[in-house]
Amino acid sequence: MPLGLTVAGALGCLTICPAPGWAASGGPPVIFPEAVATFAPDQDRLFVNVIYLTGIAFAAVTLALLYFIVRYGTFGNRPRPAAYFHGETRRAKFFTLGLALVVFVGIDLNIDRWSVEVGEVLRDYPDPASDPSVVHVQVLGKQFEWLFRYAGDDGQFGTEDDVRTVGKLVIPRGRRVLADIRAVDVIHSFFIPTFRVKQDAVPGRTTRMWFEATRTSKELRDEHRARTVGVHAVDVSALGLVVDAECRGAGGEPLLARGDEIDSLEVIDALRAAGHEEVVAHRDYVLEIACAELCGFAHFKMRAVLQVEEPEEFERWLRDKSEEARDLYDPEDPQNFFRYWGEEYRAVPVYKRIIEQTGETPWS
Amino acid sequence: MATPTAPPPIARGSPAQADDFPGDGHGDPHAGSAHGHAPGFVRRYVFSTDHKVIAVQFLIAGLLFLMLGGLLAMAIRWQLAWPGSLVPLLGKIADDRYLTLITMHGTVMIFFAITPIVIGAFGNFVIPLAIGARDMAFPVLNMLSFWLLIPAGALLLAAMGAQGELVAGWTAYPPLSDVVGSPEAGQTCWALALIVGGVSSMMGAINYVTTVIKLRAPGMTMGRLPLTVWGVFYTSILNIYFVPVVAAALLMLVADRVGGAHFYTPYGAGDPLLYQHLFWIFGHPEVYILILPVWGVVSDLLAVFARKPAFGARYTVISMGVICALSAVVWGHHMFTSGMNATLAKTFVVLTMLVSIPSAVFFLNWLGTLWRGSLRFEPPMLHALGVVFVFALGGLTGLFNASDALDSFIHDTYFVVGHFHLTMAASVLLGGFAGILYWFPKMFGRMMNRTLSVVHFWLTFIPLNVVFCTQLLQGAQGHMRRIADPVHSYAFLKPFHGLHIMITWAAFVLGAAQILFFVNFFASIFLGRRAPKNPWRANTLEWTVPSPPPHGNFGPRLPTVHRGPFEYSAPGAADDFLPQDAPPAATATG
Ligand SMILES: [Cu+2]
Ligand SMILES: [Cu+2]
């Protein structure tokens, strides 16, 4: 009993006292992607804290298991008699249930508490109607592209000055962005790894997500370039490097020009075959948006680029694009006018059939 | 201490249970053929109603599907490590063919490999023998349950060969699995295969529950059942409740696909999320459906090979029951990113967290069983200890996924893949091996080769952990699952591609090690050393009959049970084990 109490007490102390932020936010033990959103460090802290808590439990369990194996194992020819007890006494019952409760209170409830805190932040959607600094963007997933739409100069969606982009989301740094997410055909999932958030795009409903970027794409690109420029070994880790010097094959034929990316395992093989053990190169950096929900054969490349600009830069870009859209607007062309992604729906065969039969779009 | 109690009146008029069973085989497994009513080869080995034959049929079918599922995994791993290269036998894998491979891998492993092995084979073989019954309650239903698996498997293979790739994964979320995303015949075949497989599971489940409740030998109270029987019993209850749910979900999918219904397409008031709810109402319990028999097997085996009563066996049974109940109300944790209401999400987080209380109880009981035991590292024990380790990993990584906030980062990444493979693949596979190694002598009357078994264990256990723990790491890097070509898609994944190659090599070692097992298994059936009646010196009833047991299992008289299954190293007993049916006098003559 004293031993049991000590163990339970020690475990209890270890697990109950730490609060969020207990684990250092810097230098997480797992290689997370770059943290670029305001709440990304919170997410990482949550992740690291859960690693610590479950790590304690895992270490305790593994040590006990190893100890029992070594201490009570029958190695060779010296079988020791086993003790005889069923572990169904009051004491045993209190010990196991007690320890289970310690695990629940110490680990689970802590995780739950932190999870609620971070979840509150993730769900703290800004209101573009009351806060003009909020950037409101509509996101549409379709096989196999992400489409984006901004209200344009007039602040209204579904008008001729709407700004539309395909495969590229431009947002300002330091301003909150609210994304309304929809899907045309099948379920997609709007995932920004560097922001630590994803949100499914479900046909038939609108889901929401908000984020605020803390650094611009240019900053990140320059920083990564500075950090990675130099000599790199030519092995699988060289994948994605951009070479800073021309690489020639064994016969003198050019393999890679300056600025080319080592973009496949075959290129690495060719470099090695030509005797290149090392290359002078750097790593380019782009922020990426992924589709995280299986959505069909090209799901793996349903990728979009996230471009974070300084706010002034963003404003200028948005104004230019909006003007461009108004100039190109042709009221006679039905393809150009839509309330909410109408023509994208029409492109999907099954909806095309439905629209033809009933004369209405699914969610106009 | 084992105290003799009067055997309660259990046998309730089932013909299979009658004491005057024609003793056509006690002592000699082949004696049955000498009798006038001797069934022919087909009735005896093909369309047999003998639970032991059906168990072997389930086992062999399961192992063959395991081989298929494993080969699919190897092809997947090859593609992930060297995308675009020529995969042996398959050539260059197209993007949509890759999705067929992952869909088939998941479906085959879950419904056609693990299910037949841990439920079909273990349930069938162990339940009647361990509870002291002559056969299952409904032998013909039992036979049908196996023979339905064949059309189900055929439909599944047809789905793979039919027009159209299976692009929707084993979870088959509509509208991708619906006419919108995959209008061809393959996906319909797939859904039908699962429905037929579900009917087979249902038949088995009804049989197991009835057998356990009605056919226990005199003296075999529920409290004296081995934990393996409890595990399959709980599994069957979950099957009875939840297989109809997924069957309904899939029928609605079929209706959408062939009948033009719009259950899951938003047009016509359908909703894609309806499917997700129905699927996971079944899908979460399905995890326990697969793992409960393994928990039972491990709980039993740790006791046998620690030569010690299972620690807190009664609380293990209670906690497994509590887990079953909780499993019905936690499905939402699979849908945190679907746009779920915040309050609902928070509720599902807490409910999911609650599962760790009963889990911790039975897990601590496992450790308690080892404590002060006399551990014998026979091959089944190695695998059982392996389960304890990987299940700790698998269970604890579940806590990451249980957090809705963290889920918005790691949902649908390799973190989830690593987690559920640690629980469903690693634990269930090791537990399955433990059970097969343990009951093989009883099934076939021969021993499996010990050295081969030990080598196979280490060559399975180590790469298994390398593969799935590295996947956890990839998930932490944000690597999405179901990505056919990680090299040529996302820039942020490229620097870490080496991990894919490493996992693939580990997976190849893992796959190659299974050849050892298959060789050992099939060769030992014919060439293994003759097994004694009770090679592991275990207490449960199956070890009191010859190996293999005769038709009808027990001699003319059913055994009478005098104690629980865990009387190991009891003071005063003649040996360090005390079979459940040994008369109480045996205790006195120490
Ligand atoms: Cu997608
Ligand atoms: Cu679940």
Side-chain angles (χ1 to χ4, degrees):
Chain A
M1 197 58 171
L3 173 77
L5 273 182
T6 321
V7 173
L11 256 176
C13 289
L14 269 174
T15 53
I16 291 165
C17 39
W22 161 63
S25 57
V30 187
I31 313 157
F32 300 127
E34 202 82 47
V36 185
T38 45
F39 46 60
D42 299 334
Q43 281 276 50
D44 289 353
R45 200 149 44 235
L46 173 61
F47 202 132
V48 172
N49 280 358
V50 181
I51 291 175
Y52 281 129
L53 283 193
T54 52
I56 290 169
F58 181 65
V61 164
T62 314
L63 284 178
L65 182 63
L66 275 177
Y67 175 74
F68 291 158
I69 287 174
V70 172
R71 174 75 173 75
Y72 304 113
T74 305
F75 302 97
N77 52 358
R78 44 173 188 87
R80 228 190 328 242
Y84 176 82
F85 53 91
H86 285 87
E88 289 184 354
T89 55
R90 276 173 68 87
R91 213 175 99 177
K93 187 165 64 182
F94 281 120
F95 182 74
T96 42
L97 198 59
L99 214 51
L101 284 175
V102 167
V103 168
F104 181 70
V105 174
I107 299 184
D108 294 29
L109 288 189
N110 269 325
I111 295 176
D112 180 54
R113 189 157 52 92
W114 303 331
S115 179
V116 167
E117 279 173 23
V118 178
E120 228 103 84
V121 177
L122 295 180
R123 283 189 280 258
D124 183 20
Y125 303 107
D127 179 11
S130 64
D131 181 352
S133 76
V134 175
V135 178
H136 195 189
V137 55
Q138 292 177 338
V139 178
L140 184 74
K142 68 182 265 282
Q143 287 178 328
F144 297 94
E145 277 173 331
W146 289 111
L147 279 60
F148 305 97
R149 195 157 78 129
Y150 304 76
D153 281 347
D154 64 355
Q156 298 283 320
F157 283 105
T159 52
E160 67 263 28
D161 68 344
D162 284 1
V163 174
R164 297 161 61 205
T165 60
V166 177
K168 186 164 104 171
L169 174 64
V170 185
I171 59 167
R173 180 178 64 95
R175 277 172 63 184
R176 305 220 281 172
V177 179
L178 179 72
D180 287 345
I181 302 168
R182 289 191 164 199
V184 184
D185 35 33
V186 300
I187 301 176
H188 303 272
S189 190
F190 190 67
F191 178 34
I192 310 180
T194 45
F195 289 3
R196 311 286 189 274
V197 275
K198 69 170 63 72
Q199 182 64 62
D200 290 358
V202 184
R205 62 180 70 206
T206 307
T207 53
R208 287 185 302 171
M209 177 164 150
W210 81 273
F211 40 80
E212 180 185 329
T214 53
R215 304 162 77 188
T216 64
S217 297
K218 187 173 177 313
E219 266 170 34
L220 284 160
R221 168 169 292 158
D222 292 348
E223 188 192 300
H224 270 261
R225 189 191 189 108
R227 199 198 299 163
T228 59
V229 70
V231 179
H232 293 261
V234 177
D235 54 31
V236 62
S237 68
L239 212 53
L241 285 175
V242 177
V243 293
D244 289 326
E246 195 190 46
C247 296
R248 290 185 171 277
E253 77 283 4
L255 275 177
L256 290 174
R258 186 152 183 259
D260 276 358
E261 193 197 324
I262 300 179
D263 61 353
S264 71
L265 295 168
E266 289 75 43
V267 173
I268 294 173
D269 289 343
L271 283 171
R272 292 195 66 88
H276 293 279
E277 303 264 301
E278 289 171 333
V279 283
V280 181
H282 70 273
R283 213 166 263 292
D284 200 6
Y285 195 84
V286 279
L287 291 170
E288 289 175 301
I289 296 168
C291 175
E293 181 64 64
L294 178 57
C295 59
F297 69 91
H299 159 65
F300 73 100
K301 51 187 176 191
M302 185 166 160
R303 166 186 182 267
V305 170
L306 175 66
Q307 197 174 324
V308 184
E309 297 286 357
E310 292 294 353
E312 315 79 63
E313 200 71 31
F314 170 77
E315 284 300 338
R316 192 173 324 135
W317 173 85
L318 194 63
R319 218 167 25 242
D320 291 353
K321 284 285 174 189
S322 185
E323 261 166 42
E324 201 179 295
R326 207 172 13 228
D327 290 347
L328 290 173
Y329 177 69
D330 172 8
E332 299 300 305
D333 179 7
Q335 284 292 317
N336 244 335
F337 187 79
F338 57 94
R339 285 171 63 79
Y340 202 119
W341 309 109
E343 95 247 28
E344 273 83 2
Y345 290 131
R346 278 188 198 100
V348 180
V350 64
Y351 295 126
K352 200 169 163 188
R353 213 167 55 232
I354 293 165
I355 292 163
E356 274 161 14
Q357 282 164 9
T358 65
E360 53 178 309
T361 53
W363 314 277
S364 49
Chain B
M1 268 310 295
T3 41
T5 49
I10 298 267
R12 293 177 205 119
S14 158
Q17 193 67 1
D19 257 13
D20 58 358
F21 184 84
D24 63 343
H26 39 286
D28 181 354
H30 305 295
S33 55
H35 286 249
H37 64 279
F41 177 84
V42 170
R43 286 294 302 280
R44 206 136 48 92
Y45 294 113
V46 184
F47 295 108
S48 169
T49 54
D50 185 327
H51 73 99
K52 299 180 292 296
V53 178
I54 295 171
V56 171
Q57 290 171 330
F58 267 118
L59 180 58
I60 301 218
L63 286 174
L64 292 177
F65 275 113
L66 184 68
M67 213 186 286
L68 172 64
L71 286 172
L72 289 164
M74 295 302 123
I76 292 166
R77 283 314 322 172
W78 186 300
Q79 163 71 12
L80 286 173
W82 305 288
S85 66
L86 297 177
V87 179
L89 301 178
L90 298 173
K92 195 164 153 49
I93 294 179
D95 301 338
D96 47 357
R97 185 102 285 225
Y98 175 81
L99 298 180
T100 302
L101 295 184
I102 62 164
T103 304
M104 284 294 287
H105 168 72
T107 314
V108 163
M109 284 302 204
I110 292 170
F111 298 106
F112 292 87
I114 296 172
T115 300
I117 293 174
V118 303
I119 306 174
F122 292 176
N124 258 304
F125 191 79
V126 179
I127 289 179
L129 281 166
I131 69 172
R134 301 215 180 271
D135 205 320
M136 297 294 267
F138 310 114
V140 177
L141 190 68
N142 201 20
M143 178 185 81
L144 283 177
S145 164
F146 173 76
W147 285 105
L148 259 192
L149 196 68
I150 304 303
L155 271 169
L156 189 69
L157 295 177
M160 196 176 174
Q163 198 202 353
E165 301 286 350
L166 303 171
V167 295
W170 82 275
T171 51
Y173 283 4
L176 183 57
S177 62
D178 214 318
V179 276
V180 178
S182 44
E184 297 91 351
Q187 194 69 40
T188 311
C189 280
W190 176 91
L192 292 173
L194 256 61
I195 293 171
V196 176
V199 176
S200 158
S201 286
M202 199 69 188
M203 287 177 165
I206 291 167
N207 224 336
Y208 302 142
V209 169
T210 314
T211 307
V212 171
I213 292 178
K214 297 295 259 185
L215 297 188
R216 300 190 309 276
M220 179 63 88
T221 58
M222 290 299 275
R224 289 173 173 177
L225 289 175
L227 294 175
T228 305
V229 176
W230 270 109
V232 181
F233 181 69
Y234 280 137
T235 281
S236 306
I237 291 173
L238 289 180
N239 260 332
I240 289 172
Y241 275 108
F242 296 109
V243 165
V245 178
V246 76
L250 291 169
L251 275 174
M252 284 152 81
L253 183 64
V254 172
D256 267 16
R257 298 182 54 83
V258 302
H262 285 281
F263 286 114
Y264 302 131
T265 48
Y267 196 74
D271 190 339
L273 290 190
L274 171 63
Y275 176 89
Q276 289 188 24
H277 281 289
L278 292 174
F279 184 83
W280 290 115
I281 285 175
F282 154 81
H284 187 83
E286 172 68 5
V287 178
Y288 298 111
I289 286 170
L290 299 177
I291 209 165
L292 275 161
V294 166
W295 286 345
V297 169
V298 170
S299 306
D300 278 340
L301 263 54
L302 290 180
V304 173
F305 293 101
R307 314 307 297 161
K308 209 177 137 262
F311 190 91
R314 177 197 300 264
Y315 306 113
T316 301
V317 170
I318 294 172
S319 54
M320 292 201 296
V322 172
I323 290 176
C324 285
L326 282 175
S327 78
V329 291
V330 298
W331 78 89
H333 62 219
H334 296 267
M335 298 171 63
F336 285 146
T337 62
S338 66
M340 184 181 275
N341 168 289
T343 312
L344 193 58
K346 284 179 201 166
T347 312
F348 275 122
V349 173
V350 175
L351 285 170
T352 304
M353 297 276 181
L354 278 175
V355 179
S356 65
I357 299 178
S359 305
V361 168
F362 82 76
F363 193 89
L364 289 166
N365 283 344
W366 284 354
L367 293 179
T369 304
L370 299 175
W371 177 43
R372 297 174 64 200
S374 173
L375 313 187
R376 315 290 159 91
F377 301 113
E378 296 297 330
M381 178 63 156
L382 290 180
H383 282 92
L385 291 170
V387 173
V388 177
F389 181 82
V390 293
F391 189 72
L393 266 176
L396 288 168
T397 49
L399 289 171
F400 294 75
N401 302 312
S403 153
D404 60 332
L406 213 45
D407 224 43
S408 68
F409 176 41
I410 57 178
H411 179 74
D412 262 322
T413 67
Y414 270 102
F415 194 92
V416 175
V417 175
H419 158 70
F420 75 70
H421 276 88
L422 280 167
T423 48
M424 290 205 331
S427 304
V428 176
L429 202 61
L430 291 177
F433 287 136
I436 293 171
L437 288 163
Y438 182 70
W439 282 294
F440 186 93
K442 188 55 62 186
M443 275 185 186
F444 299 104
R446 308 237 180 205
M447 304 297 287
M448 283 177 75
N449 183 291
R450 191 175 187 282
T451 314
L452 268 181
S453 303
V454 172
V455 174
H456 164 252
F457 167 73
W458 288 108
L459 287 181
T460 302
F461 179 72
I462 295 170
L464 207 61
N465 283 293
V466 172
V467 169
F468 301 131
C469 293
T470 315
Q471 287 183 336
L472 295 175
L473 189 64
Q474 286 186 310
Q477 289 162 352
H479 195 325
M480 294 77 66
R481 60 194 287 212
R482 295 163 165 173
I483 297 293
D485 186 344
V487 170
H488 302 107
S489 50
Y490 291 93
F492 79 98
L493 299 177
K494 289 184 182 181
F496 307 110
H497 189 71
L499 291 179
H500 268 308
I501 296 177
M502 188 185 94
I503 295 176
T504 295
W505 281 115
F508 286 169
V509 174
L510 177 63
Q514 305 320 307
I515 299 172
L516 288 182
F517 178 81
F518 280 99
V519 168
N520 193 356
F521 182 89
F522 287 105
S524 298
I525 293 179
F526 305 103
L527 306 172
R529 187 163 55 81
R530 290 250 175 234
K533 201 171 170 180
N534 190 358
W536 315 116
R537 300 158 62 78
N539 285 342
T540 41
L541 294 181
E542 71 267 33
W543 303 103
T544 63
V545 296
S547 307
H551 187 62
N553 299 343
F554 301 93
R557 200 159 269 287
L558 283 171
T560 303
V561 175
H562 297 283
R563 60 187 66 78
F566 295 122
E567 295 307 309
Y568 294 101
S569 307
D575 216 330
D576 72 345
F577 67 109
L578 192 55
Q580 285 188 277
D581 69 336
T587 350
T589 61

